[in-house]
């Protein structure tokens, strides 16, 4: 269909932010890790900058406008942002008793024999606050992308950030902070929202106009096993639905002070862990109406690559002022999807959007975009696709978008 020129984000052809790191970057990081040399001695800053420059060139040559750094300056998708907030305490070997052992991330990482939680985790060791002197990771990443794009395209840049609930959902009731720091989730969430408000304001001042919250946790509300685990956990205050309501409020508070020209989106991530593993199953039906109607973001990035996500029926609850990005292309399977089949799926999704809004299917297509279902490399390495596979998948996204909408 022909369409009016599409100006700002979301764009017709999108991707979720992370792209496959080049081997030279992985080699430098391995040298730092294995030989104990400093990042500067290993020339990491220059290698990162070169890799980001090249991946920006790849995106622009493919005709993708929501340009990201590929998350190349991060080792895992949530980056260093939370580590840099004032008041945070980083845990290395936290006791398993701190965690909800039914939380999908925790299930994947817990070492049952040792009874500890490996990997990085953060709690509030004191009252949380935003310190512009230490909150530098997102700003550095944004400026690095800006360096390799003309200024008139800076508004297209997309920065991915982790959900404000990331370091809450995995912990047992009251364990997201050190003893005595907060008296309730409500107090904790108030400070988290304020920190996010100030972080986003700082990024806006630096030129950012497009943010995508990556949120595996929201997808976990679709999971029967997580819901059952929550219900059986006698330490919890309230119901699963109370928690979902609290997280929606936390988001809305976090973005409540943004200017109107700052585009916000949420990616309901079902996981693309090392080896292409996913974490969450279950259709969006159980959360769709509440999430789409109450969460005040502009755009929902949804995964629809496999049957585990369910059908398009929940899209009938999408309000008229919201967009949906359909993640119909897999980042886990090497086989390239059939273009015509994917176009049919977009049309089917548009029918459900139209059904709920009273619009025509053509009108509903104006609020739809296409993308891969997840990032290509949400952690540094260990993924099944090659860079050629990635390029083919992103090129297919561009082709599908061009043939449906004929615009960026």
């Amino acid at each position: 269909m022909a369409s009016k020129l599409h100006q700002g984000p979301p764009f017709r052809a999108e991707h979720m932010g992370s792209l496959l790191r080049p081997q030279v970057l992985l080699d430098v990081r391995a040298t730092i890790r294995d030989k104990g040399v400093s990042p500067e001695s290993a020339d990491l800053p220059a290698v990162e900058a070169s890799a980001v420059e090249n991946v920006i060139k790849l995106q622009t040559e493919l005709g993708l406008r929501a340009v990201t750094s590929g998350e190349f300056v991060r080792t895992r998708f949530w980056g260093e942002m939370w580590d840099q907030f004032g008041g945070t305490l980083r845990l290395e070997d936290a006791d398993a008793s701190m965690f909800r052992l039914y939380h999908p991330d925790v299930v994947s990482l817990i070492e049952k024999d040792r009874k500890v939680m490996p990997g990085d985790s953060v709690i509030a060791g004191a009252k949380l606050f935003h310190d512009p002197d230490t909150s530098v990771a997102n700003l550095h990443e944004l400026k690095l992308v800006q360096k390799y794009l003309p200024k008139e395209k800076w508004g297209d840049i997309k920065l991915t950030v982790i959900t404000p609930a990331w370091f809450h959902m995995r912990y047992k009731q009251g364990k997201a902070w050190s003893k005595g720091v907060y008296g309730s989730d409500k107090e904790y969430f108030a400070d988290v929202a304020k920190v996010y408000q100030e972080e986003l304001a700082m990024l806006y001042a630096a030129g950012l106009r497009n943010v995508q919250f990556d949120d595996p946790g929201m997808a976990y509300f679709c999971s029967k096993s997580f819901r059952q685990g929550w219900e059986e956990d006698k330490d919890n205050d309230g119901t699963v639905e109370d928690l979902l309501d609290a997280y929606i409020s936390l988001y809305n508070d976090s973005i409540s002070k943004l200017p109107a020209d700052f585009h916000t989106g949420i990616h309901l991530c079902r996981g693309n862990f090392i080896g292409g593993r996913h974490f969450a199953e279950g259709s969006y039906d159980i959360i769709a109406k509440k999430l789409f109607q109450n969460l005040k973001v502009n755009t929902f990035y949804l995964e629809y690559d496999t049957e585990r996500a369910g059908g398009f029926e929940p899209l009938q609850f999408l309000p008229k002022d919201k967009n949906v990005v359909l993640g119909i292309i897999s980042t886990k399977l090497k086989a390239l999807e059939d273009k015509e089949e994917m176009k049919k799926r977009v049309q089917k999704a548009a029918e459900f959007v139209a059904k709920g809004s009273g619009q025509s299917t053509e009108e509903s297509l104006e609020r739809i975009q296409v993308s891969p279902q997840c990032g290509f490399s949400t952690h540094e390495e260990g993924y099944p696709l090659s860079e050629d596979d990635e390029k083919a998948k992103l090129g297919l996204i561009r082709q599908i978008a061009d043939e449906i909408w004929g615009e960026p």
Side-chain angles (χ1 to χ4, degrees), residues 1-6 12 347 360-366 400-408:
M1 62 177 276
S3 182
K4 64 183 183 295
L5 183 63
H6 193 67
R12 296 303 180 195
Q347 292 291 338
S360 68
T361 302
E362 186 159 295
E363 287 171 328
S364 293
L365 276 169
E366 290 296 319
I400 292 168
D402 286 344
E403 292 181 20
I404 294 176
W405 293 282
E407 65 177 20

Side-chain angles (χ1 to χ4, degrees), residues 16-221:
M16 292 302 102
S18 70
L19 298 165
L20 293 168
R21 276 78 161 174
Q23 193 59 46
V24 62
L25 177 56
L26 295 175
D27 289 345
V28 168
R29 291 250 178 83
T31 298
I32 295 167
R33 183 178 63 245
D34 299 339
K35 297 186 178 179
V37 300
S38 70
E40 290 72 24
S41 298
D43 209 22
L44 179 63
V47 172
E48 281 182 343
S50 176
V52 169
E53 180 181 17
N54 289 336
V55 84
I56 289 171
K57 186 178 179 183
L58 170 69
Q59 292 169 81
T60 53
E61 286 178 349
L62 286 169
L64 302 174
R65 286 181 59 185
V67 173
T68 76
S69 69
E71 299 183 1
F72 285 180
V73 297
R74 313 180 193 185
T75 60
R76 63 276 201 272
F77 71 97
W78 62 91
E80 298 290 326
M81 181 173 77
W82 265 84
D83 300 71
Q84 296 177 350
F85 290 159
T88 54
L89 175 65
R90 186 171 176 168
L91 308 177
E92 296 296 337
D93 283 325
D95 191 270
S97 64
M98 285 187 65
F99 299 91
R100 304 187 196 281
L101 301 184
Y102 46 89
H103 183 285
D105 285 358
V106 177
V107 170
S108 73
L109 295 172
I110 199 75
E111 293 181 4
K112 292 178 180 175
D113 294 336
R114 288 179 55 211
K115 302 296 182 189
V116 298
M117 176 74 178
D120 300 327
S121 208
V122 171
I123 63 170
K127 297 281 188 185
L128 297 175
F129 65 96
H130 188 267
D131 184 349
D133 292 332
T134 60
S135 282
V136 295
N138 286 332
L139 201 57
H140 167 70
E141 189 171 340
L142 173 63
K143 289 181 176 179
L144 195 55
V145 179
Q146 289 173 337
K147 180 179 178 181
Y148 299 113
L149 275 181
K151 193 165 186 178
E152 61 268 21
K153 293 187 176 181
W154 284 10
D156 293 355
I157 294 170
K158 181 165 71 175
L159 186 73
T160 62
V161 300
I162 192 61
T163 166
W166 180 239
F167 287 120
H168 177 271
M169 193 177 192
R170 62 177 56 186
Y171 295 114
K172 293 276 283 182
Q173 189 74 45
K175 298 294 185 182
W177 55 84
S178 296
K179 189 174 182 180
V181 173
Y182 291 106
S184 66
D185 282 345
K186 186 177 180 181
E187 289 181 20
Y188 170 80
F189 291 151
D191 277 358
V192 172
K194 191 168 186 293
V195 169
Y196 268 73
Q197 287 170 8
E198 294 182 26
E199 176 78 7
L200 292 169
M202 179 181 74
L203 294 168
Y204 183 87
L208 184 67
R209 297 295 182 270
N210 188 10
V211 67
Q212 172 190 303
F213 295 97
D214 287 328
D215 196 339
M218 281 296 186
Y220 298 161
F221 284 102

Side-chain angles (χ1 to χ4, degrees), residues 302-336:
L302 304 181
E303 299 191 1
Y304 274 114
D305 58 317
T306 68
E307 291 182 0
R308 72 170 190 268
F312 293 126
E313 289 85 354
L315 296 180
Q316 65 188 294
F317 297 114
L318 191 74
K320 286 185 179 180
D321 61 343
K322 304 287 178 66
N323 309 291
V324 62
V325 181
L326 303 174
I328 53 176
I329 303 297
S330 175
T331 60
K332 301 176 178 65
L333 303 175
K334 292 173 75 74
L336 195 62

Side-chain angles (χ1 to χ4, degrees), residues 219-233:
Y220 298 161
F221 284 102
C222 303
S223 165
K224 291 180 181 177
S225 60
F226 174 75
R227 284 177 166 265
Q228 182 179 347
W230 176 276
E231 296 291 355
E232 293 173 355
D233 184 350

